[in-house]
Amino acid sequence: MQIANVLLMASMVFPQAPDTLDVATVTDSRNIAARSSAPLQRVESRLLQETGTITLQEALRTFAGIQVKDYGGLGGMKTVGIRSFGSQHTGIMYDGQVISNAQNGQVDIGRFNLDDIKSISVEISGSDDIFRPARLATSAGVLSVESARPVFDSTGIQASAQLRYGSFGTWNPYLNVKRRLSDRWAGTFWGNYISSKGNYPFILYNGDITTREIRLHSDVSSFNGETSLYGDIGQDGSLAMRLSYYSSERGLPGSVVLYTQNPHQRLWDDDRRASASYEAIPDEKWKIKSSLSYDRAWNRFVDFDPIHEEPEDDRYLQREGSLSAIALFSPSTGIDFSAAQDLVFNSLDSSIPGCPFPERITSYTSLSGKYDRSRLTAVATLCGTVVSEWVKIGTPALGRLHFSPSASIAYRLPLDTDLRIRASFKDSFRLPTFNDLYYSRIGNRRLNPEKASQTNAGATWTQDFGKHSISAAADGYWNMVRDKIVAVPSMFIWSMRNVGKVLMLGSDLSFSYRGGFSDRLTIQASGNYSYQYAVDVTDPAAKNYRHQIAYTPRHCGSGSLVFETPWINMGYTMQAVGERYTLAQNTPAYRTEPYVDHSLSLNHTFSFGERHRWSLHTSAEALNISNVNYEVIKYYPMPGRQYRITLKISY
Amino acid sequence: MKTINKFFIAALAALSLTACRQDPPFVPETGIQGAVVLNNGNWGSNDASIAIYNPDDKTVAAEQFFAANGQHLGDLGQDILVLGDEIYIAMNGSKVVFVTDRDLKIKEAIEVEYNGAKMAPRYLAESNGKVYVTYYEGFLGEIDPSTHKVRTTAVGSYPEGLCIKGGKAYVANSGYGYDNTVSVVDLASFKEVNKITVNQNPQYVVADKDGKTLYVCSWDAYDPVTYAVTSPSKLQKVDLASGNVSDMDYSDVKCIVEGPDNKMFVAQGGYDENWQVCGSIKVIDMASGADKGLFTKDQILNYYSLSYSNGFVFVGASDYKTNGDIYLYKADGSLVDKFDSQGLNPQKGLYL
């Protein structure tokens, strides 16, 4: 990890040939994944480009043990869960900053733009990276998106303009400008606009009646923009400052209700974020990082249901301020200690009658140690979390203190090949959200955090055979969720309670291959398979005792294949998901069919001009090519076959 | 407790029989005799269904509407009623009233529009050969069974339960928790002629056979800011001649339904030590308002619904995440059976 950081910092402002870096990071990242003492998966931007992947939900299909809940269409909410844990157990990090939602715990990953990123990675049940914000230690797993830092040649400027058109009236212009401002400073800007009618056709099966329908009220338009300033301060210090803006308006089509279709809800978002981070290496034994961020997320929900005399019109405003400091001490090679402290402030204002205007301050303190020499890697972390809350009306939830320990170990076997065995353990939790605690009548201020425990054991193998290389990982796990926060019905109203208990036994297998067959053909292939036995063990007398929890396939897998040639790159990805049940009780009426989604991409980048400074990237994709009519969430149909083309000109 | 154990064994037996049931298609029953259960389902999930309990072999057949028609019932089955050789099913989410024959085969799908959008039916009642239906949009509808045509008249906001006595329809206007009236609709002119002010959030109304006394069940109403119960649930008695409204001594009233012999059943809900809902059912003489005691000594865990049909009382229980249970009683309070309702949230029973 340290190597990667140093590489990153070195490459930031100073000229470097992009290709060299690319190869270096690809190799580096694969090694990191194989060496990791807890499951780590990573994909680099180059592979995303070659497989024609433009959204995070598409990218995550090829990750083992990851489930994206997708309500369909570009505007439909997409959340990511790790190994049958609810999405609220997934920590989401963008460029080292945690993105969260204190109101409902759900981060919509559909809004991430992948046009200028470096990599996407997912860590499950632990991490070898101990130089990062303390609060990540409280998540069962972490999804991390890292943006590409600017790399300049002698001109000191880079720019690209892109236009993408897709099925169902989707237009997506994108602009990116990066400029070196001085020896030490560089600035970047990108803006991404998406407009989509989202009126995709689907087939509605109602027993013997099959009708061709159009998804109604699924339009979306959004603008996402970011401007960053990067600077080198002192000899080994770097500063990054960023302003981000996201704004959108979308129709909420709701579930497809049989015999009547009249969706009438809309959602507006306006999210502004400012952040700054500073990283320095004061001497060879110390490394420090500190960051500050402020996020203001506003949204408006309107229900135009004709049943209401006046439309329901609700506003929500969330604020999050966060301060994070990390120090890493390396007394000798391969031995690191870190201490991290996060302070996070959250608040929620809403126009909903009865909103008590909750505010929360959470302090996360983590201490970690890492040993990484020759064959053995061992990491241990303990994180303490203290939560305090205030409300303007009524009484707040009680303060809480919670500890999350984790430990992992990996050992490289004394063989000729790079075969490692690993084991990890992690206790984590999710805090009750503001909705869980305070939402109108159902909120319950006495809720405890929902606890997750994970035990993982597995092996990784990597082998280079000259031009060919193989890597594989196999892991088995035993997880428990206790005090699951669920809505429990009572006489007149529902209330949130800590009553659920879920047992998960599963396995993730993954494999990847890369081979150069000649100067003109490189093939990359990867595949993964996941088995999840995730059952409700709350109450032996209940009808759903030991039934698979809702929306969790027992079997799923994915694969991808990329052919790189000088003339064209071809990428193919597929995802297969087994039967699921949409209800806690697994009865035939609630079974949903398995599905397979295949996608194909053809792309090529032309270079021209003096010293090949100009490039034109062209890409065409066909998604869900077999036009399978499937649903991730029952009665939220996914689009069938769709196409998109991209033209991107870069300097 | 012994009786409960017996029910549990019966339920197990019912479950084990149904466990052998394979995937759809389900086999339709014809010449239905027995208990018909309408399962409400989950909002937005199109999972309302009808199960049929056969009292002879004590089996429950699932998805009988689907089996008879090859199409699903739709979203939120709110009410079901039999009139002559027709069955009426009010689908609140799917905004349709299905009319079927006694084998559940669809004869008509009745959809009524208001302001260019379909209206959402709630509860059904029958009188003088006509079927009456409340619509959430603030209307009472009258369905003519010979044509299946509907005429509507305006009542209060978010009308729920209704009853018909003496040429008048009484409709509980819940206002989604904020209204406190019962509309009186004269059926001859089909116009609202009066509004009776009652406790906030009225849900169900029942009138005695002479049309002298109206009973109104209202649910808790909450302060939108503090969530405190501002107006607790009540059972009220309305003297229809004088218009006097008086509170009766019942708390946590969940539902009232008309029973035989000018009696009504009252479901009350409390909590057990595990904060689970425990329902109890009482009998009230509607002429005098006198309490006739408990209908059954059974405590209904996860009480969900109460209905009466043709000499049988149906008590539905639900945990909202697994198939519900029906406790089927004779009108004298003797338990016939407890069975799995083969669907989520058993809302209403009919005995054919």
Side-chain angles (χ1 to χ4, degrees):
Chain A
M1 221 32 231
Q2 279 199 5
I3 300 165
N5 270 318
V6 170
L7 251 177
L8 244 174
M9 289 174 65
S11 66
M12 219 176 66
V13 175
F14 306 106
Q16 190 161 4
D19 279 343
T20 329
L21 180 77
D22 214 22
V23 172
T25 48
V26 166
T27 318
D28 193 39
S29 108
R30 210 187 58 216
N31 287 343
I32 290 166
R35 290 173 61 100
S36 178
S37 57
L40 167 67
Q41 299 167 74
R42 180 180 299 216
V43 28
E44 306 291 327
S45 63
R46 183 170 166 179
L47 185 63
L48 296 177
Q49 196 175 72
E50 286 168 347
T51 52
T53 303
I54 65 156
T55 63
L56 201 45
Q57 62 271 21
E58 286 165 32
L60 291 173
R61 283 177 183 174
T62 59
F63 282 64
I66 300 301
Q67 284 181 295
V68 176
K69 278 204 172 149
D70 189 337
Y71 286 80
L74 266 180
M77 174 127 172
K78 289 143 190 48
T79 60
V80 54
I82 286 172
R83 285 182 174 173
S84 333
F85 289 115
S87 61
Q88 289 146 326
H89 286 276
T90 309
I92 296 184
M93 189 159 75
Y94 177 61
D95 268 351
Q97 308 260 351
V98 180
I99 308 288
S100 69
N101 182 337
Q103 184 185 355
N104 57 29
Q106 311 265 15
V107 176
D108 185 355
I109 60 160
R111 64 165 68 173
F112 280 87
N113 172 39
L114 304 191
D115 282 307
D116 192 33
I117 67 147
K118 177 175 166 282
S119 67
I120 300 166
S121 58
V122 171
E123 295 164 349
I124 304 175
S125 81
S127 172
D128 287 358
D129 178 9
I130 61 169
F131 187 59
R132 58 175 184 175
R135 66 200 280 204
L136 292 170
T138 65
S139 299
V142 175
L143 163 66
S144 172
V145 177
E146 241 183 277
S147 70
R149 303 244 175 160
V151 178
F152 297 108
D153 64 7
S154 58
T155 61
I157 188 160
Q158 272 178 39
S160 56
Q162 172 178 287
L163 184 63
R164 183 175 283 139
Y165 175 73
S167 301
F168 324 125
T170 307
W171 288 96
N172 177 197
Y174 167 83
L175 184 70
N176 186 333
V177 181
K178 303 176 182 182
R179 203 182 141 88
R180 188 163 62 214
L181 303 171
S182 73
D183 284 357
R184 294 183 171 276
W185 293 88
T188 66
F189 163 83
W190 60 257
N192 187 47
Y193 176 78
I194 299 175
S195 164
S196 177
K197 289 185 185 137
N199 52 346
Y200 54 87
F202 65 96
I203 298 169
L204 179 60
Y205 297 98
N206 176 11
D208 303 341
I209 303 172
T210 302
T211 48
R212 294 195 159 274
E213 310 267 343
I214 301 282
R215 196 71 169 127
L216 301 175
H217 208 62
S218 184
D219 62 294
V220 60
S221 64
S222 70
F223 173 78
N224 202 352
E226 211 172 82
T227 182
S228 312
L229 190 63
Y230 299 97
D232 286 359
I233 302 175
Q235 277 202 313
D236 291 301
S238 68
L239 182 70
M241 289 182 281
R242 177 173 290 166
L243 293 172
S244 314
Y245 179 61
Y246 176 83
S247 163
S248 73
E249 177 184 348
R250 73 191 74 197
L252 300 174
S255 70
V256 175
V257 176
L258 295 178
Y259 312 115
T260 183
Q261 280 268 49
N262 183 22
H264 36 62
Q265 298 175 340
R266 292 192 81 70
L267 183 73
W268 288 261
D269 280 293
D270 181 301
D271 195 343
R272 297 160 193 206
R273 191 177 171 87
S275 64
S277 69
Y278 174 73
E279 190 170 332
I281 307 177
D283 66 51
E284 58 186 23
K285 287 189 173 164
W286 285 92
K287 203 160 94 166
I288 55 167
K289 185 156 68 180
S290 161
S291 67
L292 186 65
S293 73
Y294 176 74
D295 187 28
R296 179 191 180 277
W298 174 92
N299 62 57
R300 177 184 176 205
F301 167 86
V302 178
D303 188 342
F304 297 98
D305 191 335
I307 197 166
H308 303 305
E309 281 157 22
E310 289 199 352
E312 181 183 344
D313 191 343
D314 304 329
R315 320 285 168 110
Y316 301 88
L317 177 64
Q318 284 194 74
R319 291 190 177 90
E320 175 168 314
S322 142
L323 178 66
S324 169
I326 316 157
L328 182 81
F329 173 59
S330 312
S332 71
T333 311
I335 295 180
D336 301 311
F337 296 98
S338 76
Q341 172 65 44
D342 287 9
L343 272 179
V344 183
F345 167 81
N346 290 99
S347 74
L348 171 67
D349 295 356
S350 94
S351 63
I352 296 275
C355 173
F357 305 100
E359 295 178 350
R360 168 188 283 176
I361 289 183
T362 319
S363 161
Y364 301 89
T365 310
S366 77
L367 295 172
S368 305
K370 180 174 164 182
Y371 175 91
D372 188 6
R373 276 188 191 165
S374 62
R375 299 187 176 280
L376 185 69
T377 307
V379 184
T381 296
L382 179 66
C383 180
T385 306
V386 179
V387 192
S388 304
E389 289 181 20
W390 294 266
V391 288
K392 293 209 173 94
I393 299 161
T395 47
L398 287 177
R400 283 178 285 267
L401 167 66
H402 204 84
F403 290 101
S404 333
S406 67
S408 55
I409 189 164
Y411 178 70
R412 184 182 164 176
L413 296 174
L415 302 169
D416 285 342
T417 186
D418 189 353
L419 180 62
R420 291 161 198 262
I421 52 172
R422 64 186 175 190
S424 58
F425 161 80
K426 180 162 190 169
D427 248 2
S428 60
F429 65 93
R430 77 151 178 105
L431 286 174
T433 64
F434 283 151
N435 280 354
D436 294 335
L437 294 165
Y438 303 110
Y439 191 78
S440 256
R441 299 165 189 177
I442 70 166
N444 176 358
R445 291 156 205 231
R446 285 177 306 221
L447 285 176
N448 290 314
E450 177 177 308
K451 286 125 195 144
S453 70
Q454 302 181 75
T455 308
N456 185 85
T460 61
W461 178 56
T462 51
Q463 180 70 51
D464 279 333
F465 306 94
K467 287 183 170 177
H468 304 266
S469 63
I470 288 176
S471 66
D475 287 280
Y477 58 88
W478 172 53
N479 299 343
M480 285 295 291
V481 175
R482 291 183 183 83
D483 282 348
K484 193 175 164 89
I485 297 173
V486 289
V488 175
S490 56
M491 191 51 80
F492 293 96
I493 51 167
W494 290 56
S495 74
M496 305 304 295
R497 301 245 172 81
N498 289 107
V499 291
K501 201 165 149 188
V502 180
L503 165 71
M504 305 166 193
L505 297 171
S507 175
D508 293 330
L509 309 174
S510 60
F511 167 84
S512 76
Y513 163 82
R514 186 185 168 96
F517 283 84
S518 69
D519 294 346
R520 299 191 162 175
L521 176 64
T522 303
I523 294 179
Q524 291 184 72
S526 69
N528 69 64
Y529 164 79
S530 293
Y531 172 82
Q532 298 175 87
Y533 172 80
V535 295
D536 189 302
V537 290
T538 310
D539 175 9
K543 291 178 185 179
N544 65 326
Y545 184 66
R546 290 199 175 266
H547 282 211
Q548 186 85 352
I549 58 173
Y551 289 112
T552 308
R554 198 145 279 180
H555 307 274
C556 62
S558 69
S560 78
L561 190 59
V562 177
F563 295 92
E564 292 171 37
T565 74
W567 314 284
I568 199 158
N569 296 329
M570 197 181 87
Y572 161 78
T573 55
M574 68 80 90
Q575 183 190 29
V577 175
E579 66 168 26
R580 291 140 296 143
Y581 290 91
T582 60
L583 193 72
Q585 189 180 5
N586 300 167
T587 62
Y590 291 94
R591 177 183 177 271
T592 50
E593 290 293 321
Y595 65 83
V596 184
D597 182 317
H598 306 270
S599 297
L600 205 56
S601 170
L602 295 174
N603 52 75
H604 182 67
T605 306
F606 303 90
S607 313
F608 52 92
E610 187 196 344
R611 291 171 61 195
H612 294 276
R613 266 207 191 119
W614 290 86
S615 73
L616 176 68
H617 175 71
T618 56
S619 180
E621 288 100 49
L623 307 177
N624 192 0
I625 44 181
S626 51
N627 202 21
V628 177
N629 203 87
Y630 68 90
E631 292 164 341
V632 177
I633 306 294
K634 187 79 174 163
Y635 290 110
Y636 284 83
M638 298 288 286
R641 187 187 304 122
Q642 51 178 317
Y643 304 97
R644 56 181 186 226
I645 51 171
T646 305
L647 285 178
K648 179 182 189 177
I649 186 150
S650 307
Y651 174 78
Chain B
M1 264 337 269
K2 264 183 189 165
T3 42
I4 295 283
N5 274 335
K6 209 160 73 190
F7 309 154
F8 185 67
I9 290 160
L12 265 182
L15 265 177
S16 57
L17 280 166
T18 55
C20 308
R21 183 166 55 85
Q22 285 303 302
D23 290 4
F26 300 96
V27 183
E29 306 248 323
T30 53
I32 297 167
Q33 287 198 320
V36 175
V37 175
L38 174 66
N39 291 301
N40 186 265
N42 239 342
W43 181 77
S45 303
N46 299 308
D47 57 348
S49 65
I50 289 177
I52 295 172
Y53 169 79
N54 182 329
D56 299 329
D57 55 16
K58 298 192 183 298
T59 54
V60 192
E63 294 284 350
Q64 287 301 299
F65 182 91
F66 181 78
N69 298 291
Q71 70 188 73
H72 291 285
L73 195 46
D75 198 41
L76 299 183
Q78 194 64 32
D79 203 356
I80 185 167
L81 173 150
V82 62
L83 175 66
D85 54 12
E86 288 183 334
I87 292 173
Y88 289 74
I89 309 159
M91 299 302 303
N92 185 240
S94 283
K95 302 185 177 179
V96 60
V97 175
F98 281 114
V99 185
T100 72
D101 64 16
R102 278 181 162 251
D103 292 332
L104 296 172
K105 280 228 174 272
I106 298 174
K107 292 170 78 173
E108 189 86 46
I110 300 174
E111 295 174 340
V112 183
E113 287 200 356
Y114 169 69
N115 260 355
K118 288 181 201 167
M119 297 211 289
R122 286 298 279 180
Y123 286 95
L124 301 166
E126 163 270 309
S127 174
N128 221 3
K130 296 217 167 82
V131 174
Y132 295 87
V133 52
T134 52
Y135 285 104
Y136 243 173
E137 286 73 6
F139 289 90
L140 174 69
E142 182 188 73
I143 305 171
D144 182 342
S146 59
T147 60
H148 297 138
K149 292 269 183 276
V150 186
R151 62 170 178 162
T152 58
T153 187
V155 290
S157 162
Y158 288 94
E160 293 280 0
L162 75 164
C163 74
I164 293 161
K165 280 282 146 60
K168 291 200 171 70
Y170 299 92
V171 179
N173 300 314
S174 76
Y176 221 77
Y178 296 101
D179 203 333
N180 61 346
T181 59
V182 170
S183 288
V184 184
V185 176
D186 175 61
L187 293 183
S189 63
F190 207 53
K191 285 257 154 39
E192 182 184 87
V193 291
N194 190 17
K195 255 186 183 161
I196 305 167
T197 301
V198 295
N199 190 38
Q200 201 176 327
N201 200 12
Q203 294 287 325
Y204 301 101
V205 285
V206 169
D208 78 310
K209 71 169 193 277
D210 302 323
K212 284 182 181 167
T213 312
L214 183 74
Y215 294 89
V216 183
C217 158
S218 52
W219 285 358
D220 284 355
Y222 298 85
D223 183 297
V225 175
T226 62
Y227 331 121
V229 176
T230 50
S231 165
S233 71
K234 268 182 189 170
L235 181 58
Q236 290 178 308
K237 190 173 160 182
V238 184
D239 182 78
L240 289 170
S242 67
N244 279 344
V245 180
S246 54
D247 293 352
M248 297 174 72
D249 190 18
Y250 294 87
S251 60
D252 295 323
V253 186
K254 186 66 178 148
C255 185
I256 53 175
V257 298
E258 184 178 350
D261 309 323
N262 211 19
K263 290 194 178 63
M264 71 172 181
F265 300 106
V266 182
Q268 288 174 277
Y271 296 95
D272 70 3
E273 66 275 19
N274 298 318
W275 280 91
Q276 276 180 301
V277 178
C278 253
S280 60
I281 318 288
K282 279 184 177 156
V283 184
I284 290 178
D285 179 78
M286 282 202 280
S288 62
D291 190 324
K292 296 288 176 187
L294 280 173
F295 169 71
T296 165
K297 289 197 176 94
D298 299 339
Q299 290 274 302
I300 313 294
L301 199 64
N302 294 325
Y303 165 87
Y304 179 78
S305 68
L306 173 68
S307 49
Y308 171 79
S309 170
N310 205 11
F312 290 86
V313 174
F314 294 72
V315 184
S318 172
D319 63 3
Y320 293 80
K321 61 182 181 188
T322 62
N323 283 349
D325 288 311
I326 288 285
Y327 296 77
L328 181 66
Y329 296 93
K330 284 189 184 149
D332 63 6
S334 60
L335 184 81
V336 179
D337 201 355
K338 180 198 169 195
F339 59 88
D340 186 297
S341 76
Q342 300 295 334
L344 214 56
N345 301 338
Q347 173 76 14
K348 179 119 193 216
L350 278 185
Y351 209 95
L352 299 182

